[in-house]
Amino acid sequence: MLKVQSLYIKLLHLKSLTKPNELGLLIKRIFDMKLLFATFAVILISFSATADKIWTTHSKKNEMDGKMSFYAFTVKSVKSNSPMNFPYNKVSSFISLACSHENKAISLSFLFNIAPNIINKEIITKNFYNIETRIKFGEKITNVELLQKWGGRGMALRNNTQYLNVLKNSDELLLELNWQGNGKQYFKHVITGFSKVYEELKSKCGA
């Protein structure tokens, strides 16, 4: 069964945090979502034969406090534009959106089957890296920052609120990563229907 670590988070830049406990709450969210992936592996298998389906959604209830979390995933994973050297020759990526009754803001993350090994990163706090890179949607190229937990298989788009509304009108999202030993690699994600799943999650989370 596909085993993927969770990084469904929204983390604002440390310099722009306005609430003292915000960083702790967001990091806590990383670990709260780890149990989702056993279910997510089943979801991927269930939809693997559906060629025209772009997104699938899922919800999870916290058995302790009854609070709900909601997710959307791109069904089909994508590979880089050019083959990479071993052990990264089978790397694939997909996109996730997430929110909850506790953390209403919707986060966007890029998830991988193998932990990304990126060159241009810096340590910003214990066990977390900041990665500066670029994304492209439509004809617009934008500099962005991603957050990766050490050894994690996901990278969260930081300050992502400013991008989500624009992505609602896009059918593709291109991610650039400077991969160790392989140079710049590009992952082209089909996100047709983004607007629908985004509004669905907003409604469920009360955003």
Side-chain angles (χ1 to χ4, degrees):
M1 182 175 287
L2 179 63
K3 189 177 180 181
V4 188
Q5 294 179 0
S6 174
L7 259 172
Y8 293 107
I9 59 173
K10 168 183 166 289
L11 181 65
L12 299 177
H13 196 284
L14 291 177
K15 294 181 180 179
S16 66
L17 289 176
T18 57
K19 298 179 181 179
N21 65 338
E22 185 173 4
L23 179 60
L25 288 174
L26 294 172
I27 290 177
K28 175 180 179 294
R29 185 173 178 182
I30 297 174
F31 300 102
D32 287 344
M33 295 181 184
K34 282 185 176 179
L35 295 178
L36 171 68
F37 286 94
T39 305
F40 177 55
V42 176
I43 292 173
L44 281 182
I45 294 171
S46 299
F47 286 100
S48 59
T50 309
D52 60 344
K53 189 171 183 66
I54 306 298
W55 295 91
T56 184
T57 57
H58 178 66
S59 61
K60 182 174 178 62
K61 181 179 180 179
N62 185 307
E63 294 300 330
M64 184 63 72
D65 58 23
K67 293 180 179 178
M68 298 293 296
S69 297
F70 302 93
Y71 312 92
F73 308 95
T74 50
V75 172
K76 300 180 69 174
S77 60
V78 300
K79 295 184 179 296
S80 57
N81 65 307
S82 60
M84 290 197 282
N85 300 324
F86 181 85
Y88 304 114
N89 53 313
K90 294 184 179 180
V91 167
S92 60
S93 173
F94 54 95
I95 289 178
S96 75
L97 298 175
C99 65
S100 67
H101 287 161
E102 183 178 19
N103 191 345
K104 300 180 185 301
I106 296 176
S107 62
L108 185 151
S109 297
F110 299 96
L111 303 179
F112 297 81
N113 62 328
I114 298 174
N117 189 358
I118 309 305
I119 295 176
N120 50 326
K121 60 187 178 185
E122 61 174 333
I123 298 175
I124 59 170
T125 186
K126 185 178 180 180
N127 296 330
F128 284 91
Y129 295 112
N130 185 68
I131 298 167
E132 294 184 354
T133 187
R134 300 187 299 174
I135 59 174
K136 180 179 179 181
F137 39 91
E139 297 302 316
K140 184 176 178 59
I141 300 174
T142 304
N143 295 320
V144 297
E145 294 181 346
L146 304 174
L147 182 81
Q148 181 187 12
K149 186 179 184 295
W150 185 87
R153 299 185 189 183
M155 298 184 293
L157 180 63
R158 303 181 68 174
N159 304 306
N160 67 183
T161 303
Q162 61 183 302
Y163 308 112
L164 293 180
N165 284 329
V166 180
L167 289 174
K168 289 194 295 184
N169 299 316
S170 302
D171 290 320
E172 292 182 344
L173 174 56
L174 183 68
L175 171 65
E176 177 183 84
L177 292 174
N178 195 353
W179 207 286
Q180 179 69 44
N182 291 275
K184 290 185 178 180
Q185 297 292 322
Y186 297 89
F187 296 84
K188 181 181 289 187
H189 298 271
V190 175
I191 59 170
T192 303
F194 181 94
S195 179
K196 181 178 179 180
V197 294
Y198 176 72
E199 294 299 331
E200 180 180 338
L201 261 61
K202 278 182 61 177
S203 175
K204 289 181 177 179
C205 294

